[in-house]
Every structure is written in structure tokens, then in C-alpha cells.
Amino acid sequence: MAGNLKIRALGNWSLGITAVLAILCIAMSILGFRKYEVLQSSTRDYIACEAAAQRFQTGSDTLTRRVRLAAATGEQAYIDAYFEEANVTRSRETALADLSALHGGEDAVTSLEQALSASTDLMQTEYYAMRLVEEAILAPAAQWPRELSDVTLSPEDAALSGSDKTDRARELLISPEYEDAKSEIAGDVDAALAVFTDTLTARQRAADVFARIFRTVTVCVALFAAVMLLECVVIRRGIVRPLLEYNESIRHGVIAPIHGAAELRALAETYNSIYEEN
């Protein structure tokens, strides 16, 4: 086999195989990196969406908890804390703004906007309940939040005693209608999160492509290593060892063995002819 080997052909084949494998590995690596970026982006968006949904739900639940505590205890501090969340912290609005900044979350934004709308509508019931509490605890009207000053009680509720107004406020905040509205808000928040869950599931194809690309690159690297190892063996047997033997023959002034690559065989034959003539 070594006698049919030509150094020039070996060099050309080595260069060609190396170039093909290198180009394939580079192309696969670039494509794999792009797919990885898609997967990374979708995962990052899902995490951000989940955080926004949780923040929105937490803000809504915080309002509910504080208005119920105000109705249960009759303490002004809970009413003030309610409006601190509603007008200053604004967890729901912040969550919606964060979600709007995400790429591909238009449907999720729509769902969260519906949740905000339902939550805002529910606040009218909460305002009404807190107005009843303010009157029940005889808080000075000048200290009422502006939103409560704008509430008008029905004649029936306005005629109630202080304790009855507190009971009426509690009744509003535990009514089936109130709970249904809370469930609607939670459903819209879940729908927003489901949009990104579906998007992430769809983008999981990028992970499958990335895995296939990684396997392809691994095969190319293994093949490249095998080719290099084979080339080293061929060079060792067909070129390096014959050259060393030729050098020993010349140094000792004896006939050189004829084996190795075709060019080296021709060289050995020429040397032997000259040696015999001399």
C-alpha cells in the first residue's frame, strides 16, 4: 500500500479533508450558537414573564388582603396601606410594563391588560367597602383618600349604623361576586403565563436542533481526529521511516531499501543506481 502512496496526493487529500471538516464544524458551530441564542432568549423571556405574572398577582392579592383587614379591624392604617400599593408601589402596572417590553408577548400583554381592567373594576367594590369602614369608624372626612371621597353610598347603606356598615363592608368583600372577579383576574394572569409557556414549547425545537448540531460537530471532531491519526500513521510508515533508513544507508555506504512512498522509492532506486555505477 505504501508503494502506491504519493506524497503530493497525501498532502492534497489531507488539505481537502481538513478544509471540508473545518468548514463543516464552523458552519455547524455558528448555526448551533444561533439556536442556542433562541433557546436562551425564550427561556429568559419566560422567566421574566413568570416574574411579571407573579408580581401582578401579588399586587392584586395585596390590595384584597389590606381592604379585608381594614373591614375586619376598622383600622385606618390598612386603608392607607391599600392606597400605598394602589397609587405608589403600583405592582400591577409595573408588571404590565415589564411584560410589554418582552419580545413576542403581545397576546400575554392582552391577557394581563384584561386582568388589570378586571382588577380596576373590582377596586370600585373595594372603594365602596372602605367608604363604609371610614364612616363606621367616624374617621374625619378630610383624612379620607380622594378615591373614597368620590364614592356615593346608596341610601340604604348610608342609613346603616356604624357596626352595620362594617358588616356590610365585610359582606361585599366575601361575596360570590367578589370571589368570581378575583378568579377572573387570576385566570387572566394564568392565560398570560400560558402564552409564554406555549411560545417556549414551540421554541424547544431550537433545543432539538442544537442537540443535533452538537452531535454532528462531535462526529466531525472524532472523524477529524481519526483522519489525523491515520495520516500520522501513513506518514510515519510511508515517509518518515523510509527517510531514516535511507539516511542510514547513505551514512554506511550501502544499498538503500526500496519501500515507502512512490517519490521515495524513485529516490532510493536512483541512489542505488548511482551507488552501483560508482
Side-chain angles (χ1 to χ4, degrees):
M1 178 179 178
N4 298 324
L5 174 67
K6 292 185 177 181
I7 297 176
R8 178 178 296 180
L10 177 62
N12 291 338
W13 276 104
S14 298
L15 180 61
I17 293 174
T18 301
V20 170
L21 290 176
I23 292 173
L24 184 59
C25 286
I26 292 173
M28 291 294 101
S29 298
I30 293 174
L31 181 59
F33 181 73
R34 290 178 179 175
K35 294 300 180 182
Y36 172 76
E37 285 185 325
V38 171
L39 181 61
Q40 186 181 47
S41 174
S42 62
T43 303
R44 185 170 54 247
D45 288 348
Y46 177 81
I47 293 173
C49 176
E50 185 177 33
Q54 290 178 348
R55 187 161 57 251
F56 186 100
Q57 190 64 57
T58 298
S60 177
D61 292 342
T62 297
L63 295 177
T64 298
R65 183 170 59 256
R66 289 176 179 175
V67 71
R68 283 177 170 172
L69 285 171
T73 64
E75 294 184 10
Q76 182 69 38
Y78 290 116
I79 295 177
D80 294 339
Y82 176 96
F83 285 101
E84 176 74 16
E85 167 63 34
N87 298 332
V88 180
T89 307
R90 296 171 59 87
S91 299
R92 300 166 303 162
E93 291 80 1
T94 302
L96 181 58
D98 292 344
L99 189 62
S100 300
L102 299 180
H103 175 68
E106 292 78 8
D107 293 337
V109 170
T110 299
S111 296
L112 212 60
E113 286 175 342
Q114 293 174 352
L116 180 60
S117 177
S119 182
T120 302
D121 292 342
L122 188 61
M123 290 175 72
Q124 303 306 312
T125 300
E126 295 168 348
Y127 289 168
Y128 194 92
M130 285 186 288
R131 172 63 183 266
L132 288 169
V133 173
E134 293 282 31
E135 293 194 3
I137 64 176
L138 302 177
Q143 298 179 6
W144 295 354
R146 177 183 56 79
E147 292 86 350
L148 303 187
S149 299
D150 295 338
V151 174
T152 302
L153 299 181
S154 67
E156 295 80 4
D157 292 338
L160 294 174
S161 65
S163 60
D164 288 340
K165 285 180 179 178
T166 301
D167 291 340
R168 175 60 177 156
R170 295 170 184 169
E171 178 185 339
L172 289 172
L173 298 175
I174 61 173
S175 65
E177 293 80 7
Y178 187 88
E179 291 299 328
D180 288 344
K182 289 292 295 180
S183 297
E184 180 183 351
I185 294 170
D188 289 334
V189 172
D190 290 341
L193 189 58
V195 169
F196 270 92
T197 301
D198 294 340
T199 302
L200 182 63
T201 301
R203 292 182 182 179
Q204 284 295 332
R205 290 193 297 268
D208 297 335
V209 174
F210 178 75
R212 290 196 297 270
I213 290 173
F214 181 78
R215 287 194 295 268
T216 301
V217 172
T218 302
V219 171
C220 288
V221 172
L223 182 59
F224 182 77
V227 170
M228 291 298 99
L229 180 60
L230 178 61
E231 183 177 341
C232 289
V233 172
V234 172
I235 291 176
R236 174 67 182 177
R237 297 186 60 182
I239 299 176
V240 175
R241 192 165 66 183
L243 281 175
L244 293 175
E245 292 179 357
Y246 296 167
N247 181 65
E248 288 296 316
S249 298
I250 294 172
R251 192 156 61 92
H252 292 94
V254 298
I255 295 295
I258 300 176
H259 63 89
E263 291 89 344
L264 296 182
R265 291 170 63 88
L267 180 62
E269 291 173 353
T270 302
Y271 166 77
N272 290 341
S273 298
I274 296 174
Y275 181 82
E276 291 174 351
E277 291 178 1
N278 290 339

